[in-house]
Structure formats: C-alpha cells, structure tokens
Amino acid sequence: MTHHVETHEEAANDRVMFGFWVYLMTDLLMFAILFAVYAVLHGNTMGGPAGRDLFKPELALAETLILLTSSFTAGIGMIAARRGIKRQVLVWFGITFLLGLAFLGIELFEFAEFIHEGHTMTVNAFLSSFFVLVGTHGLHITSGLLWLAILLAFITKRGLTKANVRKLALLSLFWHFLDIVWIFIFTVVYLRAFV
Amino acid sequence: MKEFWLGKLNSHALPHEWFTILGSISFIMLGLTVIALLTYTKRWKWLWNEWLTSVDPKKIGIMYFIVGGFMLLRGGLDAIMIWLQQSLSSGASHGYLSAEHFQQVFTAHGNIMVFFVAMGLIFGLINYIVPLQIGARDLASPFMNTLGFWLYVAGVVMVNMFFLFGGEYAATGWLAVAPLSGKAFSPGVGVDYWIWSLQISGVGTTLGAINFIMTILKMRAKGMTLLKMPLFTWGSLCSMIMAVSVFPLLTMTLFLVFFDRYFGTHFFTTDAGGNAMMYTNLIWMWGHPEVYILMLPSFGVFSEIVSTFSHKPIAYYKSNVLGMIGVSTLALSVWLHHFFTMGASAEVNSAFGVATMIIAIPTTVLVFSWIATMYKGRIRFTTPMLWFLGFIGIFALGGISGVLLAIPPVDFQLHNSLFLVAHFHSTVIGGVLFGIFAGLNYWFPKIAGFRLNERIGRYAVWCWIIGFFVAFTPLYVLGLMGATRRLDHYDASKGWQPFYIMAFVGGLIIAAGVALQIVQIIASFIQRKRLRDTTGDPWDGRTLEWATASPPPSYNFAVIPQVSTRDAYFEMKQLHTPKHAYEDIHMPKNTASGIYISIFAFLAGFGFVWEINWLAVVSIIGIIVCLITRTFNEDSEYTIPAEVVKKMEKAQAAKVRTEHGSNSDDEADMGLIEFVKTVLAWALGMALSIVRKKR
C-alpha cells in the first residue's frame, strides 16, 4: 500500500473544499425554506392575477438557457485553470461573467415590468413569496458576479497562483450550485404555473 | 432630512423606565471601570494583540466563557425579576412591573439564556477542548472562528441595546410567534432588536458549526478513527451537524419576518394571504433541534467525566455514540409537538407524539451507558461528578415529564401551562447548564493551570440542586392546577400565590449557588499556587487534552500524538511512548477582520432596527469590502521553527520538575469562612496601605 503524505498546503486545500460543500448545503436549506414557503403561499393571490397570467415562459426559458451555458463555459474555464493557461481562463470566465450579467438583466427586466404594472411584493402573499424566492437567487448571482469580477482582476495581476485556482474552483462550484437551484425555480415557479 | 439621517430615532427612545435606566447606568459604570483599569495598567495594546484579534481557539474559548458568564448573570437577573413579579402580583396587588415590561423581561430572559448563555458557553467548551482532544493545533478555518465569535458578541450587544441605548425589547415570547411579531401588532422596535440579535449571532453559529465539522472530520491525529474519538468530540460533532442542518432555517425565517416588517410583504401577516401558522412550523423546525444542539456536547462532557472519575473506559462506547446520533437524527422530526393544539389532524399529532416518545430510547441508552460505567468503578466524588449526579436526577424528571407532554391529549390539557415551563427548565438546566458547569470544573485546570476549589464547588452544586427543586416543583404543581405561563397577574382566589413565593425562594437559592460559583473561582485564584496543576493531568485523565501542559502552549502539541486506542492518553501513560523529533509548526496569524466585519454587521442591524437606511447600506458595503480584503490576503500564516519549539518544550519540562507534585486532595481547600477572612484581611491591608501613603 502506498502511503500518500499530504503537504500542509494540500491538507488545507482539502479542508476548504469540504467546508465549502458544507456551506453550500446550508445555502440549499435556505432555498428549501423559500421553496416550501412558495409552495404554501403561491395560491394566495387574493383575487389578483396568478403566475399563469403574469409569467412569460419565453423569458424564463431564455434565462435557463443562458445560465446553463454560463455553467458550461465556467466548466471549460476550470479545465484551462487546472492546465494553467491564463489567457483561456480569462476568456472563458469572461464569457461566464457576461452570460451571468445577461441573466440578471432579464430577471431585473421581468421584475421591473411586474412592479410597473403594480404587481409588487407587498400586494399579496403569492407575490411576496415569488419575489423573495427568485430575488434571493438573483442576489446570489449578483454576489457570484462580484466575486468573479474581483477574482479575474486578481488573476490578471497575480497570475494563476495555487490560491487563485482554489478560489476559482470554489467559485465554479458556487456557480453550478446556483444553476441547480435555478432549475428548481424554473420547474417549480415557471413551469408549474402553466401546468 | 432629519428622517433620512436618523430614521425613527429620537430622544424618546432613550432609556426612561427605572429598570432600563438602572441597567444602562450599571453597564456604563462597568464599562468605565474596565476602561479606567486598562488605561491605568497600560493594557490596551496587550488586550488587542493577545486577545481580541487572536485566532487561537483556546483564547476564543475563554472569551466565550467571559461573555457567556456575564450573560448568565444578566439572564439570571431577568429570572429573579420574573419570579418576584409573580410572587407579588396577586389579587389587588399588581407587582412592580407593568404587563408590557413583564413581557419584555421574560422574552429577554429566554433569548439571552438560549442564545447567549448556553450557546456561548457550549461554543467556548468546544473551542477549547475539541482541538486538544483530537490532537489538532488549530481549527480548519481560524478566521471563521474569530468571525463567529465576534458576530456572537455583536448579537449580545444588540440584545442589550434596548437599555444600553434605548427603545424597547420584544414583548412576544422568545420565539416571537406570528402574527404577534408583525408590524400590525408590534409596531415598536422591540421585535427588530430581536430579529437582528438572533440573526447576527445565528450566522456566527452557522460559520462556527461548519468550521468544527471540517476540523473534527479532517484534522484528527493520525490513527484516531471516528470510533476512537473521545465522546465529547462525538457530542460536539453531532451537535454541529445539527446546527448546520437547522440554523439556515432560522436565518431564512428571520429574514422573512424582517421582510414582513420592513418591506411590507405578506408571509406571516393576517391579511393579503399571509400564513401565520407557517411561521410556527418554520421556527420550531429550528427551535426544537436547537435544544438538542445545546444538549449533545453536554452529554459528551458527562461521558468524559464519568469515565475519568470512575477510573474506567466508558461502557458501551458504540451504543453511546449511536445514542447521540439517534438523538440528533430523531430531534429533527419532532418539532410539531410544540403545537399539537394548533389544529393538525389527529393522525399527524399522533405521528409526532410517537416520534417524540421514541427519543427517550437513545437518551436512555446514554444514561445507561453512564450508569454502567460507574458500576464497579473506583468513583471519586469530585465536583464535576456531583454536577453529573445532579444532572441525572433533574434530567430524568425533565425526560419523564417530556414523555408525558408528548401524548397529544395530555398536551391539550397542559399546553402553555407552567407544567411545560417546569419541564423544559428541567431538561435545559439539568441537561445543558449542569453539563457546562461540570465541564468547566473538569477542564478548569487545563484552561487556567490550577484546579478549582472543591469545597466551595460542592456548596454551589448543592445550592443549585436544592434551589432547582424548590423553584420548579411548585411550577409543576401550578401547571397541573391550571396556571398558564407568562402571567403578570392572577386572581387571589386561585390560591396560587404560596407556590409562586416558594418558586421565588428557590430562585434565590439558585442565585446563592451562582454567587458561590463566583466565590469558588476567586477562592481558587487566591490559592492558585497550592492548586497548581504542573503535570497537565490532574485527574488521571484518559483523553489527549491531558497529554499536553496546562495551560497548553499556543501550538497545543509539540509533536502530534499517534493514536491507536480509544482512551489514547491513558494508553500512552501505560506504555511511555517515546517522543518523536520536533518539526516546524505552521500557525495562523492574528486578524482583526472578524472584529471589523462584526462591527459593520452590528451597524447594519442597528440601521435596520431604526430604519436608518443609509447606515444599513454603508455597513453592508463595509462587510463586503472587509470580506474581499480578507480573502485576498495570502499572508495569513507564520512558522515556529523546530528549534524554538524544542526550547519551549524544554522550559516547560524544567518548570514541571521544579514545581513537582500536584495536589488533588481537597482537605486544604479553603472553606467559606476562610475565604471571607482572607478577603477581609486583603481589603484591610489595602485600606491601611492607602492611608499610610496619604500620610
């Protein structure tokens, strides 16, 4: 049996990865609460329009495709990062960033339209739970984009150091996680409204 | 314009009730004394460098003990206020508190005791002991640990803000049930203070829990498999896994209450389709597991103590571990028993009732494991052991009344009665607080370098046990007589007053116990030379924390021990394993980022409480900036060269040789009378020297 001796740094890497997974699970539980709340409250429109009357399925589909593609480019970027090709990392994660921005833009456009038509989150319980569930996801995307922008700036400056590659790995994990949560939002919120 | 800068704040918010004024004056006096003392002794820099910015889990643990200890006094004062009001306020007399104030007092009592006493002290113990028990030098993420601690401190300050600064506290009960906690029924800032003190400290708890899971699962000494882990570490692991499973629920639920109050959404409101019963479900899905989060480490403490003081390895180790895992899993599926009366169907109620009763099984397994350990052991009745025996009695009472309450038809009779209050105090005081006290007594020599006074310790235990029964037996009886909880006044014809008075007397006896605990620490400090623990192993311990010096060096172990059996250190003592060569040790550097982030978190909460939007926004940006600077700071470690380690270890060994022999006989521990004499003599000496100087 060969015994692999871990260096101090490898052990730290391993711990951070594991800890981040545990963090993601806690975040998932927070979304679980929001999904449960939406499931309980989505019918309470108090006579106002329901999801079926408000949502535009083509917008949600566009958001889904954009976010899935961004996850794909993040994955390719990660391969480049492991190989230590800085230019490719910047390009692929740059695309990820732009796609994320596009996703956020569409979401904000949808929100703005609802608010403009008077469907704000204070109107009824359905809208409260819709805005907070989808908005929390949007907030996560925003913080992911902020993180990505800063990380890319540091990679340009300091290069693909071990610490930066580790941060990139955590970030792409976060990004895929948000993708999965979005799939659930797409199904539970948007698709279910038209069933 | 004024509204923009100050939100809802104005001079009316400042303390103006007698008890808030008294509270703020006493805290200001305390603060001024501490500041004066630090300035006079020129200790500011020392305090900042050695303590406040430290990432050493041992120092953070001690800071948890200090803050948690103060909060115990603060929450205890609330308890005495509640008992006094209830023993006075019968018939024509309405006591000394208005109904509104009384409600704020019992709400604060519950929140402080659960969040800031029990959580704080448990986290203190875990911080100090777990790394030592698993043979680690620090935690997986030292930064997250200091951040967690300072967020806890920010929560502590927030919960006391209503009299430190102004406003009011929630008058809703410790879980702020909806719709009472909504803007419509609680328009003041009390519930907002409640939200943010729990929110900030709750995030700290989640971070701490993630950190300890990483540490326990990834940083154990070589050879320590999961089933060779000491039981306190096992209890902590179970507790932390529960914490990461339910604290996110609390965080989100609090956010939803906050949205309801701040942005006017309709999650738990009575109008526009809100659902208040959903709040009850969500909050108890966190609230019930929370008490087990507190209790499991405490179970672990008892396992360690029973095994050490019976001079035997723990009996049925695997069943004990399984018992703790069982408790922590089942505890996640019983929350509904807190509201059998809310109107779920009989089937649902029965399912949750049965689940609740099943928890008694793994708990009983634990109790039998302890009893079997004592069986035929050479038992030493030290103070920690007495706390343990007190726990068994009180906890059994709490457990039995709990099984009773788990039967839905019985619960319909006893719901919200004092019987319930007596029940959960039996479990929490017996199960959590006694465990903490036992642990503190047991590990005190490790932490301070000298053991605690046994004689005065025994007095304190007996005051607590007797006080407990005098205080809570009447509450059981009152509950059966139909007294509901949280009454600020009752009719004289009920005949309840004698019972309430008896409970108040019990409260005073417990207070005497607390006073004795403080005396115990001071008396031990006076006799610290005699009580010094030079060996690092005062109790003939069995686990790794006793293998290093007391108090341990910053790096815990010069050479990480190799583990091959369960009672690793006990085995080592028999075999005299030779030490290996020293190596360079990597240690984390101190950081103040945790403090800055917590200050911003506090300010953000404060901004939300008083609707000062600019402050909240600025503070949130501050948090983000601090986090970014911290994560991109790659210079966070330093190295202690092997040579230095060798020197430090040699110095320690020399010290042990000169101060040979530790005293564990308690004959010469000072008693109360001697303590009073010593203190008086000291005070007299001080007074005389001052007079002489003046001449």
Side-chain angles (χ1 to χ4, degrees):
Chain A
M1 202 177 94
T2 53
H3 197 78
H4 176 63
V5 183
E6 274 190 329
T7 65
H8 179 63
E9 202 170 324
E10 277 171 13
N13 250 344
D14 181 40
R15 287 201 292 270
V16 170
M17 264 309 194
F18 175 66
F20 198 75
W21 269 104
V22 180
Y23 152 72
L24 286 183
M25 293 305 105
T26 65
D27 215 353
L28 194 64
L29 279 167
M30 293 212 255
F31 276 110
I33 290 287
L34 291 178
F35 278 112
V37 167
Y38 183 79
V40 172
L41 296 181
H42 78 278
N44 299 4
T45 57
M46 309 306 283
R52 176 190 289 271
D53 315 315
L54 288 177
F55 301 149
K56 293 198 182 71
E58 60 277 7
L59 276 188
L61 183 67
E63 282 177 290
T64 310
L65 293 178
I66 288 172
L67 206 61
L68 284 176
T69 317
S70 81
S71 250
F72 177 68
T73 55
I76 297 180
M78 246 351 265
I79 295 173
R82 298 264 185 236
R83 289 185 181 160
I85 312 167
K86 183 172 153 184
R87 210 182 55 83
Q88 280 194 18
V89 170
L90 291 178
V91 168
W92 285 113
F93 275 100
I95 296 174
T96 308
F97 182 84
L98 291 178
L99 288 172
L101 217 54
F103 171 88
L104 206 60
I106 298 176
E107 188 163 271
L108 287 177
F109 169 73
E110 189 192 22
F111 279 12
E113 211 166 46
F114 286 172
I115 292 167
H116 184 69
E117 289 162 11
H119 308 300
T120 65
M121 63 197 249
T122 57
V123 170
N124 58 42
F126 155 64
L127 285 169
S128 297
S129 58
F130 165 77
F131 271 102
V132 172
L133 170 58
V134 180
T136 304
H137 180 266
L139 210 59
H140 275 74
I141 292 279
T142 313
S143 49
L145 288 177
L146 184 67
W147 185 8
L148 183 54
I150 293 163
L151 190 53
L152 289 184
F154 268 89
I155 287 174
T156 331
K157 216 171 77 184
R158 291 184 189 169
L160 281 174
T161 61
K162 269 185 186 165
N164 279 342
V165 173
R166 179 171 83 191
K167 287 194 181 79
L168 215 47
L170 296 183
L171 177 63
S172 66
L173 208 55
F174 184 66
W175 202 256
H176 297 317
F177 161 76
L178 290 183
D179 209 356
I180 292 170
V181 173
W182 176 259
I183 299 287
F184 278 94
I185 291 181
F186 182 59
T187 319
V188 172
V189 177
Y190 293 97
L191 287 186
R192 250 196 82 201
F194 297 98
V195 177
Chain B
M1 199 57 200
K2 202 175 153 217
E3 203 139 279
F4 175 78
W5 288 110
L6 290 177
K8 287 195 296 184
L9 255 185
N10 56 45
S11 57
H12 295 293
L14 296 176
H16 51 270
E17 303 291 341
W18 65 267
F19 62 96
T20 48
I21 293 176
L22 218 66
S24 75
I25 288 177
S26 54
F27 262 75
I28 290 170
M29 294 297 273
L30 186 75
L32 286 179
T33 320
V34 172
I35 289 172
L37 216 67
L38 284 171
T39 315
Y40 182 71
T41 53
K42 299 200 174 91
R43 286 275 172 110
W44 279 107
K45 220 177 173 176
W46 165 82
L47 184 73
W48 180 260
N49 290 333
E50 294 290 315
W51 287 93
L52 303 186
T53 59
S54 174
V55 290
D56 184 346
K58 296 187 286 298
K59 285 182 175 167
I60 290 177
I62 292 173
M63 290 195 284
Y64 266 118
F65 293 145
I66 292 170
V67 181
F70 268 109
M71 284 300 106
L72 177 66
L73 300 180
R74 163 82 178 74
L77 194 65
D78 282 340
I80 296 286
M81 282 172 79
I82 295 169
W83 270 318
L84 182 60
Q85 167 74 12
Q86 291 186 320
S87 58
L88 292 176
S89 177
S90 168
S93 160
H94 280 262
Y96 69 109
L97 285 172
S98 69
E100 175 76 12
H101 293 152
F102 181 74
Q103 289 158 5
Q104 292 182 26
V105 171
F106 68 64
T107 306
H109 168 75
N111 288 144
I112 288 175
M113 285 304 194
V114 171
F115 280 91
F116 303 117
V117 177
M119 278 314 253
L121 295 176
I122 286 283
F123 260 95
L125 277 181
I126 296 178
N127 257 290
Y128 205 103
I129 302 303
V130 163
L132 288 169
Q133 277 199 333
I134 62 174
R137 286 188 174 131
D138 59 84
L139 295 183
S141 169
F143 165 65
M144 249 160 76
N145 197 29
T146 117
L147 178 57
F149 169 72
W150 286 107
L151 288 174
Y152 159 78
V153 174
V156 166
V157 179
M158 190 63 91
V159 84
N160 286 304
M161 275 304 269
F162 73 99
F163 69 83
L164 286 180
F165 176 80
E168 58 187 359
Y169 195 63
T172 50
W174 79 292
L175 284 185
V177 283
L180 179 58
S181 56
K183 205 81 176 170
F185 304 98
S186 298
V189 295
V191 177
D192 301 303
Y193 273 140
W194 177 86
I195 291 174
W196 289 102
S197 72
L198 266 61
Q199 188 69 292
I200 294 171
S201 67
V203 171
T205 306
T206 311
L207 291 178
I210 295 175
N211 202 358
F212 281 107
I213 294 175
M214 286 196 271
T215 307
I216 297 173
L217 290 183
K218 293 278 180 186
M219 295 176 74
R220 295 190 307 278
K222 246 190 211 138
M224 186 182 280
T225 55
L226 281 178
L227 281 179
K228 282 176 190 153
M229 256 175 15
L231 285 167
F232 175 65
T233 305
W234 255 114
S236 307
L237 179 64
C238 292
S239 155
M240 294 295 109
I241 290 177
M242 286 184 82
V244 294
S245 325
V246 297
F247 264 83
L249 273 58
L250 174 73
T251 306
M252 209 19 109
T253 309
L254 288 175
F255 269 128
L256 296 182
V257 183
F258 163 67
F259 286 144
D260 270 5
R261 290 181 63 85
Y262 205 77
F263 298 115
T265 53
H266 293 284
F267 291 105
F268 310 125
T269 54
T270 43
D271 57 339
N275 189 336
M277 290 197 279
M278 187 170 62
Y279 177 82
T280 313
N281 265 294
L282 290 177
I283 200 77
W284 278 117
M285 276 162 131
W286 159 80
H288 188 84
E290 163 70 3
V291 295
Y292 286 93
I293 291 173
L294 299 172
M295 224 164 272
L296 283 160
S298 171
F299 287 162
V301 171
F302 289 131
S303 297
E304 303 288 348
I305 285 171
V306 171
S307 156
T308 302
F309 293 114
S310 306
H311 211 269
K312 269 176 73 184
I314 193 90
Y316 308 120
Y317 173 93
K318 280 182 189 165
S319 309
N320 191 310
V321 170
L322 218 60
M324 289 197 282
I325 295 175
V327 168
S328 51
T329 334
L330 287 171
L332 296 170
S333 59
V334 297
W335 76 91
L336 197 127
H337 69 212
H338 291 271
F339 42 93
F340 281 145
T341 53
M342 204 168 76
S345 66
E347 286 86 356
V348 172
N349 277 358
S350 327
F352 278 90
V354 171
T356 308
M357 285 181 242
I358 291 175
I359 286 205
I361 297 169
T363 320
T364 313
V365 167
L366 286 166
V367 174
F368 279 124
S369 156
W370 297 321
I371 294 175
T373 309
M374 288 193 288
Y375 178 67
K376 285 190 175 172
R378 263 187 284 144
I379 303 178
R380 284 173 287 166
F381 287 99
T382 52
T383 323
M385 201 62 189
L386 292 182
W387 283 116
F388 165 73
L389 293 172
F391 148 78
I392 288 282
I394 293 175
F395 192 69
L397 177 70
I400 292 164
S401 56
V403 172
L404 198 62
L405 282 167
I407 304 165
V410 177
D411 185 77
F412 268 70
Q413 290 298 315
L414 294 170
H415 184 78
N416 254 1
S417 73
L418 282 177
F419 188 89
L420 163 82
V421 173
H423 153 70
F424 73 71
H425 279 88
S426 303
T427 53
V428 175
I429 291 181
V432 180
L433 220 46
F434 277 28
I436 291 167
F437 293 153
L440 282 175
N441 266 278
Y442 178 57
W443 282 304
F444 196 88
K446 181 55 53 187
I447 295 167
F450 55 94
R451 72 173 169 82
L452 280 175
N453 185 310
E454 285 282 309
R455 266 169 90 175
I456 301 176
R458 277 199 290 272
Y459 303 154
V461 179
W462 283 111
C463 275
W464 266 95
I465 294 176
I466 295 168
F468 176 85
F469 282 108
V470 177
F472 289 96
T473 315
L475 295 194
Y476 277 114
V477 179
L478 276 170
L480 291 173
M481 289 166 77
T484 51
R485 66 199 291 199
R486 296 167 178 162
L487 285 182
D488 64 296
H489 180 257
Y490 47 89
D491 209 71
S493 63
K494 296 277 187 197
W496 292 343
Q497 199 173 22
F499 291 97
Y500 275 119
I501 293 174
M502 185 176 162
F504 176 61
V505 172
L508 292 181
I509 301 175
I510 294 177
V514 175
L516 281 171
Q517 287 177 296
I518 297 171
V519 169
Q520 183 196 16
I521 294 173
I522 300 172
S524 318
F525 182 74
I526 294 172
Q527 283 191 312
R528 63 189 177 282
K529 288 219 171 94
R530 229 192 56 72
L531 302 177
R532 176 152 294 156
D533 163 38
T534 48
T535 56
D537 179 27
W539 311 117
D540 196 8
R542 318 179 70 83
T543 37
L544 282 183
E545 73 268 31
W546 305 110
T548 179
S550 314
S554 64
Y555 46 79
N556 289 355
F557 299 94
V559 177
I560 302 277
Q562 285 263 8
V563 177
S564 54
T565 49
R566 236 167 239 162
D567 289 329
Y569 181 51
F570 198 76
E571 210 71 16
M572 271 188 219
K573 281 189 282 192
Q574 319 291 322
L575 298 172
H576 300 290
T577 24
K579 291 206 167 178
H580 297 268
Y582 297 116
E583 53 179 4
D584 291 0
I585 295 177
H586 302 281
M587 295 299 291
K589 273 186 186 166
N590 285 2
T591 171
S593 309
I595 300 183
Y596 300 144
I597 293 174
S598 302
I599 290 174
F600 280 125
F602 174 81
L603 288 177
F606 186 79
F608 283 128
V609 170
W610 292 100
E611 297 182 6
I612 312 173
N613 298 321
W614 66 267
L615 181 64
V617 172
V618 169
S619 309
I620 289 172
I621 293 171
I623 295 175
I624 295 170
V625 171
C626 281
L627 274 176
I628 291 171
T629 8
R630 169 68 202 179
T631 40
F632 285 97
N633 171 16
E634 280 161 19
D635 174 34
S636 60
E637 283 197 340
Y638 69 100
T639 308
I640 309 176
E643 272 305 300
V644 179
V645 176
K646 197 173 167 186
K647 259 184 209 156
M648 285 167 89
E649 288 297 304
K650 270 195 177 155
Q652 170 65 24
K655 219 168 119 197
V656 171
R657 252 175 269 134
T658 51
E659 296 168 5
H660 185 64
S662 77
N663 269 312
S664 56
D665 68 302
D666 52 2
E667 290 305 309
D669 285 15
M670 63 165 70
L672 270 183
I673 296 169
E674 203 184 329
F675 172 76
V676 175
K677 272 189 203 161
T678 320
V679 171
L680 281 181
W682 178 79
L684 208 66
M686 278 292 274
L688 278 178
S689 73
I690 290 170
V691 171
R692 255 185 235 135
K693 251 185 208 167
K694 275 197 175 158
R695 275 185 194 162

